[in-house]
Amino acid sequence: MTRFIDVPAMSRLIQKIGLPVFLGELADVIAADFRRWPDFDKCARVASHSEIGVIELMPVADAHDYAFKYVNGHPANTARGLYTVMAFGVLAEVETGYPVLLSELTLATALRTAATSLMAARALARPDSRSMALIGNGAQSEFQALAFHHHLGIEEVRVFDIDPRATDKLIRNLADTPALRIVRAASTAEALRGADIVTTVTADKAYATIVTPDMLAPGMHLNAVGGDCPGKTELHAEVLRAARVFVEYEPQTRIEGDIQQLPADFVVHDLWRVLTGEIPGRERDDDLTVFDSVGFALEDYSVLRYVLQQATAHGIGQAVQLVPEADDPKDLYRHTGPGRARLRRAA
């Protein structure tokens, strides 16, 4: 049987664990998996692009578990009352190929993206960072703010979005976090002024220059999260040239990340090597560091394993018969007869 986690079940799981705890534990799980990077069979995601969006499959496996995520990115969806990003995923046994988990990943992707940003900032940002600029105040913004507040000591978030309603929403949703000071900025430049960390989570599929060199200050760390497909960027090319740039999986980031603007010989660094201690992250306090984050399948592998573990421990989700019973594994035809196909559900 396969455990099934739908959106209500994921919501219950997050509430049961607590959102700050979920984010922190997930960041630790992702970091642990990144530290065993060579154990994984990896590839860039398979993408189907159109003028208005992208649909992608993201597979990864180690010797024990195989995972994939289906995910889209359609920036115009919000005008139709739909989410820009929606996802679901599967975790399966490598030994048998049987799926052990089928889960919604729309909520979980937002959490794993924030947890990954947190993981990178722990390795790359100055330890005394207390202020963050958050550019793009859409569906993922609250998770980014809370991850950095609860687990990195960020006390002030300076927020800006070209849609003031998005900023209204963010301020409203974070109103019950009194220890976190929210400063509404009138522009990206104003938001970055005085910030130690900059997180960009914009959605438009365009060659954008959200952050330009004149906005930078020595020692900043930038999480460039929104540039995640061909033709979509957030940072001016000179920002990248001025920084030490870190990536998840270079073959994918060369195609999808902000570094798609730069020649193939532009030097970037693997984040997993920083986490294992093979290379340094920040070398000096005044270094400018960039995490060119596009989202990689290993992060989804991590969240699926974490969700399965926690859902099993808390008794959340349903058992569904996604694969026919195999009392006679050479006879599939019998499942097509009247009354033969059965779907068993257990709380």
Side-chain angles (χ1 to χ4, degrees):
M1 303 293 278
T2 303
R3 186 171 290 268
F4 175 52
I5 304 293
D6 60 6
V7 172
M10 184 65 77
S11 296
R12 290 196 301 274
L13 185 63
I14 294 167
Q15 292 171 39
K16 185 75 174 181
I17 298 170
L19 181 56
V21 174
F22 194 112
L23 287 165
E25 290 184 348
L26 183 54
D28 292 339
V29 169
I30 296 171
D33 286 334
F34 264 67
R35 290 188 188 102
R36 58 187 191 94
W37 185 267
D39 294 344
F40 290 92
D41 181 12
K42 302 171 288 291
C43 69
R45 53 187 158 204
V46 180
S48 177
H49 294 278
S50 68
E51 292 184 359
I52 58 174
V54 63
I55 296 174
E56 300 166 329
L57 289 178
M58 301 172 63
V60 71
D62 65 4
H64 304 286
D65 298 298
Y66 172 92
F68 80 82
K69 180 171 78 173
Y70 165 100
V71 63
N72 79 303
H74 287 72
N77 271 3
T78 53
R80 304 170 63 184
L82 302 173
Y83 287 105
T84 297
V85 176
M86 296 163 282
F88 67 87
V90 169
L91 184 69
E93 299 172 340
V94 167
E95 182 179 8
T96 65
Y98 269 56
V100 295
L101 176 67
L102 170 62
S103 179
E104 85 80 36
L105 286 182
T106 305
L107 288 172
T109 291
L111 271 65
R112 76 87 157 125
T113 303
T116 302
S117 295
L118 171 63
M119 173 187 71
R122 283 171 166 170
L124 302 175
R126 297 197 322 271
D128 62 349
S129 297
R130 293 295 176 265
S131 177
M132 180 170 79
L134 185 52
I135 311 303
N137 302 159
Q140 296 202 28
S141 56
E142 291 89 350
F143 304 108
Q144 295 278 339
L146 291 172
F148 280 77
H149 171 58
H150 287 289
H151 299 289
L152 204 71
I154 291 299
E155 300 168 350
E156 175 186 86
V157 178
R158 305 171 62 81
V159 298
F160 175 73
D161 195 296
I162 58 173
D163 180 1
R165 295 170 299 177
T167 305
D168 292 341
K169 177 267 310 178
L170 176 118
I171 292 172
R172 183 172 63 250
N173 286 342
L174 296 182
D176 59 352
T177 311
L180 180 60
R181 183 167 63 256
I182 308 296
V183 177
R184 186 169 193 151
S187 66
T188 298
E190 182 179 313
L192 266 65
R193 199 169 300 130
D196 303 308
I197 295 174
V198 178
T199 296
T200 54
V201 280
T202 61
D204 285 344
K205 187 178 180 181
Y207 285 115
T209 52
I210 307 298
V211 177
T212 53
D214 57 295
M215 301 178 189
L216 303 177
M220 270 184 175
H221 170 64
L222 284 76
N223 286 307
V225 179
D228 58 1
C229 70
K232 185 181 179 191
T233 64
E234 295 180 310
L235 307 183
H236 192 285
E238 293 306 315
V239 171
L240 298 165
R241 289 191 174 97
R244 286 173 57 82
V245 179
F246 299 84
V247 300
E248 294 141 307
Y249 182 58
E250 185 176 344
Q252 181 174 304
T253 311
R254 291 282 181 189
I255 298 169
E256 301 178 352
D258 271 272
I259 60 171
Q260 67 185 271
Q261 308 171 70
L262 299 177
D265 60 354
F266 177 76
V267 175
V268 298
H269 308 281
D270 294 321
L271 181 61
W272 72 268
R273 296 185 187 277
V274 179
L275 297 173
T276 60
E278 290 187 29
I279 63 171
R282 176 175 297 274
E283 295 181 313
R284 299 181 304 274
D285 279 351
D286 62 353
D287 277 345
L288 181 70
T289 55
V290 170
F291 176 41
D292 191 358
S293 175
V294 297
F296 184 58
L298 181 53
E299 297 147 23
D300 304 306
Y301 166 97
S302 300
V303 75
L304 285 165
R305 286 201 310 119
Y306 176 75
V307 165
L308 178 60
Q309 178 192 50
Q310 294 298 323
T312 303
H314 293 290
I316 292 176
Q318 299 177 333
V320 297
Q321 193 172 346
L322 198 61
V323 177
E325 291 179 344
D327 46 338
D328 183 354
K330 292 187 178 182
D331 184 1
L332 193 60
Y333 179 77
R334 69 187 186 86
H335 291 280
T336 66
R340 300 290 179 89
R342 299 186 301 277
L343 179 64
R344 294 179 177 178
R345 295 182 180 270

